[in-house]
Amino acid sequence: MSPELSQKHLEKCWEACWHRARRPVEGVLIPEERAAEIAERVMRNIALDFEDLPPEAEFTARVIEEASETTRGLVAGERRKRSDPQLHHDPDDHRYKQNLDLDRLQRADPERGFQDSEWNRLPEVLRPLALATLSRKGIKGADAEDVFSDTLVELVREREGSRSAPILDPTVFEELIPLHARIVQFRAIDWFRRRSALKNKPNTGESFDALAGDPDRPLQFEDGTAGTISFDKIYSECLEALSEVEWQLIYSLYVAQTATVQDLIQDDRLCAKLGIKAKASASTRRRAIAEMIEEALKKIRGNLVF
């Protein structure tokens, strides 16, 4: 465990928590005061979970993840109570016309499966987004429609490991959009593999089932249009790959941005923790820290699931 978190870091952490509480997923937006209430409650509750506060990276990842989960649960509950799927939907989100009722989409009959009439409306929401993605990959016309149909089937097909269908993963409807986008990407890969007659050769890549059903490497349904992946997701994916000190370097430099490389090489205490001799020159320290940072980034790149 690290020493008690600094006031400066706690302020940055609260701000990150507030932003995630306000926008837990693209398309969801709650009032600022509600986000503040959630951020304060989340940070207080997580702080109480530890006798000694954990390293900054771990603490930040925890509060951001918890804030997102709390807000999504709150929004889902209020939509359900008011029977209003549009409640707390970002008015500036124009990717599709309107939300559908997620509860109805997730409702399954023991015999017939997912048969609610709300499914009849789902293709009109997902098709334009999916066809645009497939068109950019060179899959058009009837081929694109076939791939799109496969993705709808994929939404309700049980994974071998969890015996749970992907459609059951989202807490709010907005999460279904990036989830489906990722399925489209993998089905496009499958289409190209079939087209290239590679299906009878040893498979050199991950299958959709392997990525979606493996509990040790869960598929992260991030919205590819957003262009970024959040720190809490990176931390969750790569937690075991990096040491505590490597996380400290990555967090200080790239997340909290509370230090530069120059700051790090002048920190005798940190250099000692990194195993750099006290009498090492500034250039030696810089080279050693740069190598550690590059190694940590390499581990992150190797462990992230895209």
Side-chain angles (χ1 to χ4, degrees):
M1 294 292 182
S2 66
E4 187 172 342
L5 300 178
S6 68
Q7 181 65 30
K8 183 178 181 180
H9 168 69
L10 287 174
E11 290 173 357
K12 284 182 172 290
C13 190
W14 186 93
E15 183 177 0
C17 185
W18 179 85
H19 280 289
R20 180 53 63 87
R22 184 156 159 73
R23 294 178 181 274
V25 63
E26 184 177 5
V28 172
L29 180 67
I30 68 170
E32 294 183 2
E33 61 275 13
R34 298 287 297 279
E37 292 171 2
I38 290 173
E40 291 172 4
R41 183 168 68 251
V42 165
M43 289 194 63
R44 181 177 63 252
N45 290 346
I46 290 181
L48 291 174
D49 285 344
F50 301 95
E51 283 189 25
D52 298 311
L53 289 178
E56 293 180 358
E58 180 181 349
F59 185 78
T60 301
R62 280 281 307 274
V63 297
I64 291 176
E65 181 181 9
E66 183 71 20
S68 175
E69 182 177 336
T70 299
T71 300
R72 286 183 284 118
L74 178 148
V75 169
E78 292 190 355
R79 287 177 176 177
R80 187 175 298 117
K81 183 177 180 179
R82 302 187 191 182
S83 300
D84 182 6
Q86 311 311 318
L87 187 64
H88 298 307
H89 184 67
D90 187 349
D92 292 328
D93 181 14
H94 303 298
R95 292 173 297 169
Y96 51 93
K97 188 176 180 179
Q98 64 177 354
N99 287 343
L100 302 185
D101 189 326
L102 182 62
D103 286 340
R104 292 178 58 184
L105 292 173
Q106 294 178 330
R107 187 180 302 152
D109 182 271
E111 300 295 331
R112 296 180 299 167
F114 299 93
Q115 295 289 328
D116 192 278
S117 60
E118 194 76 346
W119 276 89
N120 297 330
R121 303 174 58 200
L122 188 59
E124 69 182 73
V125 174
L126 299 180
R127 179 180 282 109
L129 301 172
L131 296 187
T133 298
L134 293 171
S135 178
R136 289 193 297 271
K137 295 179 179 295
I139 306 175
K140 302 179 181 180
D143 288 332
E145 289 289 348
D146 288 343
V147 173
F148 174 65
S149 296
D150 289 343
T151 65
L152 295 180
V153 174
E154 199 66 61
L155 279 174
V156 299
R157 188 169 68 89
E158 287 187 351
R159 304 180 183 95
E160 292 184 6
S162 65
R163 309 305 301 173
S164 174
I167 186 61
L168 299 177
D169 292 346
T171 302
V172 293
F173 181 79
E174 288 84 351
E175 291 178 282
L176 182 57
I177 304 304
L179 183 156
H180 183 256
R182 183 55 64 91
I183 293 176
V184 169
Q185 293 174 21
F186 279 97
R187 282 301 167 221
I189 292 171
D190 288 345
W191 185 87
F192 280 113
R193 284 175 175 167
R194 290 195 299 269
R195 188 183 184 193
S196 303
L198 291 177
K199 62 181 179 180
N200 294 322
K201 296 182 180 180
N203 188 351
T204 58
E206 296 279 9
S207 68
F208 179 83
D209 286 337
L211 291 171
D214 186 349
D216 295 323
R217 294 183 61 194
L219 178 62
Q220 298 299 308
F221 294 109
E222 289 292 330
D223 187 353
T225 61
T228 58
I229 180 171
S230 61
F231 172 69
D232 56 312
K233 293 296 183 183
I234 293 175
Y235 188 83
S236 175
E237 289 279 353
C238 308
L239 175 60
E240 301 298 331
L242 276 67
S243 66
E244 180 179 327
V245 71
E246 286 175 322
W247 278 119
Q248 182 179 348
L249 287 174
I250 295 299
Y251 184 82
S252 298
L253 287 171
Y254 301 116
V255 183
Q257 297 181 344
T258 55
T260 65
V261 173
Q262 185 62 32
D263 295 328
L264 298 180
I265 67 177
Q266 295 175 351
D267 188 335
D268 294 336
R269 185 175 179 181
L270 174 64
C271 287
K273 190 175 182 180
L274 295 175
I276 301 173
K277 295 180 179 179
K279 295 182 179 181
S281 66
S283 60
T284 298
R285 291 187 176 194
R286 181 183 296 276
R287 183 168 58 254
I289 289 176
E291 290 175 354
M292 292 178 190
I293 293 169
E294 178 55 35
E295 180 63 23
L297 292 174
K298 182 179 179 181
K299 291 178 181 178
I300 289 175
R301 289 192 293 268
N303 282 271
L304 280 178
V305 177
F306 292 102

